[in-house]
Amino acid sequence: MVGRVRWEDLPLSDLRNVWFQHNGAPPHKVSSVQQHIRDTFQQQVIGYGRCIEWPPRSPDLNPLDFFLWGYIKQRVYATPPPTLRELRNRNTDACARVSPAMLYNVQREVQSRAQMCIVTEGHHFEHDR
């Protein structure tokens, strides 16, 4: 079984390199959560109204959004999971099947998307593959 690493368990030296990217999810907008994010990540927050601005409806450069969530959903929900345990098992299995070759392709895709973003000066673009 693949272990899950919580950010709270990272050594301080690693935590200094961790950034929080605010995705606009409603739970992240609650004042107590906002305060926790500020206390934990200080100046290392990416998102609307934060240290590093990430405007709404910006070009999608996040590999979690353009790759991982779709890949996981496709594998997990090919058929409806009958139990919560099965849902957890399918999620774990799907994550374990992400290969180094897949990650290499995702890295190339990030580079390609970043280049398109530069060419269009940050405007929307269609990215066909």
Side-chain angles (χ1 to χ4, degrees):
M1 179 176 237
V2 175
R4 185 174 146 200
V5 176
R6 299 176 331 144
W7 66 264
E8 296 98 335
D9 297 333
L10 290 173
L12 185 56
S13 60
D14 288 347
L15 191 55
R16 288 186 181 124
N17 295 320
V18 174
W19 285 71
F20 179 85
Q21 183 172 356
H22 193 293
N23 64 0
H28 296 165
K29 296 178 182 179
V30 175
S31 61
S32 60
V33 174
Q34 289 282 320
Q35 186 61 50
H36 180 72
I37 291 169
R38 281 191 299 274
D39 291 347
T40 303
F41 297 98
Q42 298 173 11
Q43 300 300 312
Q44 293 178 200
V45 179
I46 301 169
Y48 180 72
R50 298 290 173 236
C51 300
I52 305 292
E53 288 285 329
W54 194 269
R57 297 175 299 284
S58 60
D60 193 358
L61 302 175
N62 185 337
L64 296 177
D65 290 334
F66 75 74
F67 164 69
L68 188 62
W69 303 145
Y71 172 80
I72 298 295
K73 283 181 182 179
Q74 184 179 37
R75 296 192 71 86
V76 170
Y77 294 106
T79 59
T83 65
L84 182 57
R85 180 180 282 303
E86 180 62 19
L87 175 63
R88 288 180 182 146
N89 289 342
R90 288 183 190 186
N91 274 305
T92 300
D93 291 344
C95 289
R97 292 180 188 273
V98 175
S99 70
M102 293 166 77
L103 294 177
Y104 176 77
N105 289 336
V106 169
Q107 177 188 4
R108 293 189 59 193
E109 182 70 13
V110 168
Q111 292 169 338
S112 175
R113 286 171 181 254
Q115 185 60 39
M116 287 298 298
C117 191
I118 291 167
V119 167
T120 63
E121 297 180 342
H123 294 275
H124 290 276
F125 56 87
E126 291 296 320
H127 196 77
D128 297 321
R129 287 278 172 207

